[in-house]
Amino acid sequence: MAAASLEAAVLFAARGRRGAMTAEPEVAERGPGGLAAVAVPVPLPRALVYSVPAALEGRALPGVRARVRVGRRSLLGVVVGRPEKAPEGVEVRPVDAIVDREPVLTADLLELAAFTSDYYLAPIGEVVRAMLPGKLEPWGDRRVWLTDAGALAIPRDDAEAAVIEALRTAGRTTIAEVERLAGRTDLAAAIDRMRQQGRLAMGERERRGARYSTAVELAPGPVDELLERCGRSAAGRRVVQVLAALGRPASVREVCEEAACGAGVVRRLARLGVVRRFTQVVRLELDRHLLPENRRPPIELRPDQRAGVEALRAAIARREYAGILLGGVAGAGKTEVYLRAAATVLAEGRSAIVLVPEIALVPALARTLRERFGAAAAILHSGLAGVERRQEWERIRNHEARLVLGPRSAIFAPVSDLALVVVDEEQDPSYKQETAPRYNGRDLALVRARRAGATAVLVSATPSLETRRNVAVGKLTRVDLTRRVGQGSLPEGVLVDLREEKGARKPGEVVFSGRLREEIDAALSGGHQVILLRNRRGYSPILLCRACGEDSRCDDCGLPRTYHKRTRELLCHYCGSRRPVPAACPACSAEALEPIGAGTQRVEEEFGRLYPDVAVGILDRDTARRGSVAAVLERFRQGDTQVLVGTQMVSKGHHFPRVALTAVMSADSYLGFPDFRAVERTYNLLTQVAGRAGRGEHPGKVVIQTFHPSHYAVRAALDHDDETFEREEMRFRRVFRYPPFSRMVLLLVRDRDRRRGEQSIAELARRLSAHPLSREVRIAGPAPAPFERLRGQWRFQLVLRAGSGRRLKTLLAAVLPEKSPSDLVIDVDPYELL
């Protein structure tokens, strides 16, 4: 979070937009008025207040879901508080139903939701919805059934009689079904009393949509005795040895695969009392563990790594908030340091969250977590199938899993006793959500850790300017690793000036310079691997008609569609619209269509022409959407492919010891963007991709091709000169009052009618400028957004900057209407000015 962010967060939450953006909906004490504040998934700034019928009074706890009416619609919301009185002049409708028996959101998550809503000026209902998986079954709705004593007992009152009658009719069923059959909603006390007296039994509700499998575990007793019971059965003995080696229960399928036997062997062992069978939920993607002999041996820590581990453990042991930046050059072994700290946390019975910037980084780290922590680790992200995501969420909520891995949304994981939050590659802009609610996962990690008294660890070889500033002012403590893994030295930098290359007509074209080809030849001939970075996907960004200049622009966005040669289509990367590639120009009918510029597909094609016998893989967003990221990375890790071509996804967090060469096809991708963070992103990208080389025992090299060889970001990345980059970029930010030396809010108006949109943003600018508080606020605009038209809407923006978050908040509270129109986007701490 920016230097002012943590204090400004509190200030931003202090006052609201005419009461709409106050710290409500807060987790309030239950009031006597029988009211509930319910956050519903609509773009309203605060929760709506409903009356609670007497029959539901005991169940309307903060954190449970409630079905309520909004207008003519019936919506599912979350109770976020129990206010004492209703807003004046507002009709209070009753709650229709309480869905859950127990809160799905704990008190700390409700507090985090309130903070997120208030700080980012986001509708509370959208924040709460982001915290929960879709189609979650009623939480805490357990299965109940009569015991023998209960079946023979005489009911003591009408409520017990209703419960007994319903259970005699339905047998084992849920509490909700008991209430439905009885036609009553006040049976909770009777059910609890009957359970305590042994007249009623209760168990967990089966998870709908989950798959179940038969699992086995060794029976109690010495392994030698269990082996003797197997008799002469070699397959049976192998089953016992497999389970003993695993040290945990396993599915029958897993045991049979490892022991090379059939399920009949396991059934026979169960009859002999050698193993015990039971039913368990199958975690569809994630329930794969390696045998100990197949696991990687423990890593021997260097002295600087040991010091880093001890620093993190000392902070965790204090059981109070600590913010730490874990830095050091790329490939210094930072992951091993924070995983050792996570192991300490789990050994104490506490919980940890590990965030990575993109889903593509999850598979490799997930494998490591599964090897080390087994079922205690859970994966949580939007790329999982609905059933998988619900199962993982339920395991976390039930405290079965205490280590959670995922991208930014995993910060909302319902862990208990949180002790450690890790944000890997903390500088990555992917932590900023670009759709509502527009939160920053890295910054919320600091907030959640502070509220939980946990240790927050931001991890980066190239920390963001905001994090560097927080270190400078003492808000974060810096712990640096000083050496790399493997051969230990940073990759040698090679600069190629594209202005001197004959084939480089202009920026964007694919160029394999003479020096780059020499380095590729050397790497491949030595049996090493190569990574090529081209930060554009597709074949080429423009398919141009040389006769008339037609460039196949998207009708809704006004931007050229990207040419995808493999699928023979023109695709808009902003709205997703597509059309087949025409044989001739649709404007002039000339057969003069030519691809201009280069994406990953064109780099792959040109590389294949130069090196036809070398296997190549592509890693970009198209790969991610096809769901084949893990397969591409695994083939490269196994050496099935020798070259990996990709966008910035190839630069993040991957550890490939056989990579001896990384190359940036054009380092100018970001430098021309109209964004004050363009230089920082360029430097981070170049440094990160350079860090993929030389992580094994062979020295690495990085080739950077650019039309701007003298730019300080390019030179600093090439020379591994982080201090020079920080000094120059901080000077630029300080002079022009950009973050981290100011606070920023982006206001964006979208409208299908261009003139109406221009009028709306102009009127908003006029009201802001006329207010007395605007004297200390810099207002840039109104102006068309850099991408003026997207998805059929015209876009106009204002950018507000001030040294004080409080001043920005107060100004917006005074000028913006209580209910913001749907065509107004409010982005606090924006990362994309587009």
Side-chain angles (χ1 to χ4, degrees):
M1 186 174 282
S5 294
L6 286 176
E7 309 96 88
V10 178
L11 300 175
F12 236 39
R15 291 187 174 84
R17 233 185 321 155
R18 298 182 183 174
M21 289 300 176
T22 61
E24 284 186 9
E26 63 184 7
V27 184
E29 293 294 327
R30 226 176 94 183
L35 301 173
V38 181
V40 289
V42 293
L44 295 174
R46 55 183 172 182
L48 301 177
V49 176
Y50 292 84
S51 63
V52 180
L56 301 177
E57 177 63 33
R59 293 178 53 194
L61 304 172
V64 301
R65 289 171 294 170
R67 188 161 291 283
V68 296
R69 284 168 291 159
V70 180
R72 297 182 178 180
R73 295 182 293 170
S74 177
L75 298 178
L76 190 63
V78 175
V79 176
V80 293
R82 298 297 305 271
E84 295 185 359
K85 60 181 181 180
E88 295 182 6
V90 176
E91 177 189 1
V92 178
R93 293 179 170 185
V95 170
D96 290 337
I98 298 295
V99 174
D100 303 301
R101 296 279 160 183
E102 300 171 3
V104 290
L105 292 181
T106 55
D108 63 314
L109 284 178
L110 289 176
E111 291 174 357
L112 185 64
F115 173 89
T116 304
S117 171
D118 207 73
Y119 180 78
Y120 291 103
L121 304 182
I124 180 64
E126 293 181 352
V127 175
V128 168
R129 179 168 57 181
M131 291 181 161
L132 293 171
K135 299 181 180 180
L136 185 66
E137 288 292 315
W139 191 250
D141 188 14
R142 294 178 172 84
R143 294 172 63 86
V144 292
W145 59 93
L146 289 174
T147 63
D148 291 342
L152 299 174
I154 299 175
R156 302 180 182 183
D157 53 33
D158 291 343
E160 289 190 3
V163 171
I164 293 172
E165 181 64 26
L167 290 177
R168 283 174 175 167
T169 301
R172 296 193 180 201
T173 189
T174 63
I175 298 175
E177 181 64 10
V178 170
E179 292 181 339
R180 189 191 69 80
L181 291 172
R184 300 176 59 167
T185 58
D186 59 344
L187 301 180
I191 290 173
D192 187 59
R193 182 171 63 249
M194 294 173 68
R195 183 184 62 81
Q196 292 179 4
Q197 295 171 350
R199 293 184 290 152
L200 181 149
M202 184 177 295
E204 290 295 327
R205 175 175 179 160
E206 293 182 357
R207 302 169 188 175
R208 192 178 74 182
R211 295 193 315 187
Y212 290 81
S213 70
T214 301
V216 291
E217 63 183 355
L218 288 177
V223 174
D224 290 344
E225 293 182 7
L226 298 177
L227 288 170
E228 288 181 7
R229 292 190 210 170
C230 296
R232 297 180 180 180
S233 172
R237 297 174 68 86
R238 289 199 301 272
V239 169
V240 173
Q241 291 166 349
V242 166
L243 286 171
L246 285 173
R248 59 168 175 82
S251 68
V252 171
R253 179 179 178 180
E254 181 182 3
V255 170
C256 290
E257 287 178 354
E258 295 292 344
C261 68
V265 175
V266 177
R267 288 195 295 269
R268 177 178 175 274
L269 294 180
R271 291 195 299 270
L272 294 173
V274 176
V275 300
R276 298 189 299 193
R277 298 197 302 170
F278 59 95
T279 300
Q280 69 174 6
V281 175
V282 178
R283 300 208 310 280
L284 304 182
E285 175 193 10
L286 309 167
D287 214 6
R288 299 204 177 163
H289 306 277
L290 300 180
L291 288 172
E293 58 265 27
N294 295 330
R295 296 177 182 172
R296 285 170 283 190
I299 296 173
E300 183 69 27
L301 296 182
R302 302 188 313 271
D304 58 335
Q305 287 179 301
R306 286 197 295 271
V309 171
E310 291 306 315
L312 268 56
R313 286 175 174 169
I316 292 167
R318 289 194 290 270
R319 291 181 173 260
E320 59 185 28
Y321 171 72
I324 296 174
L325 168 62
L326 180 59
V329 296
K334 295 182 285 293
T335 301
E336 184 64 27
V337 170
Y338 71 68
L339 288 183
R340 296 289 179 100
T344 299
V345 166
L346 266 61
E348 296 174 353
R350 306 177 71 191
S351 299
I353 297 174
V354 177
L355 301 183
V356 292
E358 292 190 14
I359 294 175
L361 297 178
V362 170
L365 188 53
R367 177 185 176 90
T368 300
L369 296 185
R370 291 300 185 193
E371 290 175 6
R372 296 193 185 194
F373 306 116
I379 313 299
L380 200 61
H381 61 74
S382 59
L384 297 175
V387 172
E388 292 175 307
R389 192 179 183 196
R390 288 195 298 275
Q391 287 180 17
E392 290 296 272
W393 188 92
E394 289 172 354
R395 292 179 58 241
I396 299 166
R397 184 67 178 84
N398 283 325
H399 316 309
E400 297 170 19
R402 291 178 287 111
L403 176 60
V404 180
L405 169 67
R408 59 178 176 261
S409 60
I411 193 58
F412 300 131
V415 298
S416 60
D417 196 7
L418 181 63
L420 176 68
V421 183
V422 176
V423 185
D424 207 348
E425 306 287 0
E426 66 82 24
Q427 82 291 341
D428 198 289
S430 298
Y431 282 116
K432 184 67 162 73
Q433 173 97 350
E434 295 304 330
T435 57
R438 292 175 171 80
Y439 64 91
N440 189 309
R442 176 200 62 194
D443 296 352
L444 287 187
L446 293 174
V447 173
R448 188 169 186 188
R450 179 180 290 276
R451 290 169 177 261
T455 297
V457 182
L458 306 186
V459 183
S460 179
T462 56
S464 63
L465 271 290
E466 289 83 358
T467 294
R468 295 171 190 256
R469 178 67 177 167
N470 274 337
V471 171
V473 299
K475 292 184 178 295
L476 295 173
T477 301
R478 182 158 189 162
V479 175
D480 274 329
L481 305 186
T482 56
R483 292 183 54 200
R484 299 189 89 205
V485 296
Q487 49 77 36
S489 62
L490 291 167
E492 177 188 346
V494 177
L495 181 65
V496 174
D497 187 348
L498 289 178
R499 297 173 302 179
E500 299 176 358
E501 291 292 323
K502 294 181 180 180
R505 291 176 291 175
K506 58 183 178 180
E509 293 295 318
V510 57
V511 177
F512 282 87
S513 64
R515 180 61 188 274
L516 175 56
R517 291 194 60 181
E518 289 177 11
E519 298 297 342
I520 293 175
D521 291 340
L524 295 179
S525 63
H528 305 298
Q529 292 177 303
V530 177
I531 291 178
L532 303 177
L533 171 73
R534 176 64 181 132
N535 206 28
R536 277 187 180 275
R537 57 192 172 105
Y539 186 82
S540 67
I542 299 175
L543 187 64
L544 182 70
C545 175
R546 287 294 189 185
C548 70
E550 169 67 25
D551 57 5
S552 301
R553 290 179 178 258
C554 174
D555 297 332
D556 289 329
C557 300
L559 297 169
R561 287 187 172 93
T562 298
Y563 172 37
H564 286 249
K565 187 176 182 179
R566 184 171 299 164
T567 56
R568 296 292 300 169
E569 64 182 1
L570 297 171
L571 175 63
C572 177
H573 286 172
Y574 298 95
C575 70
S577 65
R578 61 190 68 207
R579 64 171 54 170
V581 175
C585 175
C588 71
S589 300
E591 296 183 2
L593 297 177
E594 179 182 353
I596 304 298
T600 51
Q601 292 178 11
R602 194 167 190 177
V603 172
E604 178 199 29
E605 180 182 88
E606 180 64 16
F607 184 89
R609 187 182 65 80
L610 299 172
Y611 301 91
D613 298 326
V614 177
V616 181
I618 291 185
L619 183 65
D620 56 19
R621 191 171 296 177
D622 295 325
T623 309
R625 288 176 176 171
R626 292 193 300 269
S628 54
V629 168
V632 170
L633 292 174
E634 187 61 25
R635 284 195 295 270
F636 191 64
R637 180 176 289 105
Q638 295 294 335
D640 297 333
T641 52
Q642 296 159 277
V643 175
L644 186 62
V645 178
T647 59
Q648 59 182 343
M649 293 172 68
V650 302
S651 69
K652 300 174 182 178
H654 306 296
H655 178 68
F656 301 119
R658 293 177 56 194
V659 172
L661 175 67
T662 59
V664 182
M665 304 304 295
S666 174
D668 311 303
S669 302
Y670 278 133
L671 286 177
F673 270 52
D675 190 328
F676 71 91
R677 288 191 173 93
V679 172
E680 179 185 7
R681 290 182 178 178
T682 298
Y683 173 76
N684 288 347
L685 182 61
L686 300 183
T687 304
Q688 291 289 333
V689 77
R692 300 311 108 197
R695 299 169 75 95
E697 297 304 319
H698 190 276
K701 284 188 179 182
V702 56
V703 176
I704 298 178
Q705 300 188 144
T706 178
F707 285 90
H708 300 87
S710 60
H711 195 286
Y712 68 86
V714 175
R715 298 300 314 184
L718 191 72
D719 299 335
H720 312 293
D721 188 357
D722 191 68
E723 292 182 5
T724 295
F725 164 75
E726 180 177 349
R727 182 177 64 252
E728 293 296 321
E729 190 63 11
M730 282 292 193
R731 182 175 62 84
F732 162 73
R733 300 281 185 94
R734 186 181 291 107
V735 169
F736 290 97
R737 303 301 300 169
Y738 283 118
F741 300 101
S742 67
R743 295 293 315 290
M744 181 180 288
V745 175
L746 170 69
L747 302 177
L748 180 74
V749 169
R750 303 172 295 189
D751 203 302
R752 292 192 175 275
D753 185 286
R754 179 172 187 169
R755 182 176 179 183
R756 189 169 56 203
E758 287 181 310
Q759 291 174 343
S760 297
I761 197 72
E763 173 61 20
L764 181 56
R766 185 195 63 78
R767 295 203 311 269
L768 287 167
S769 300
H771 197 278
L773 288 174
S774 67
R775 287 193 298 269
E776 297 183 32
V777 175
R778 295 188 181 189
I779 302 177
F787 291 160
E788 186 176 8
R789 190 163 181 249
L790 284 180
R791 303 176 184 90
Q793 293 183 315
W794 296 93
R795 308 161 78 247
F796 304 91
Q797 67 184 33
L798 291 166
V799 179
L800 281 58
R801 279 181 289 157
S804 165
R806 174 187 290 180
R807 185 166 294 276
L808 280 177
K809 177 65 182 287
T810 307
L811 175 61
L812 292 174
V815 172
L816 296 181
E818 179 172 340
K819 182 180 179 181
S820 296
S822 58
D823 57 2
L824 176 62
V825 172
I826 306 171
D827 193 356
V828 177
D829 300 337
Y831 261 63
E832 298 286 350
L833 303 181
L834 303 176

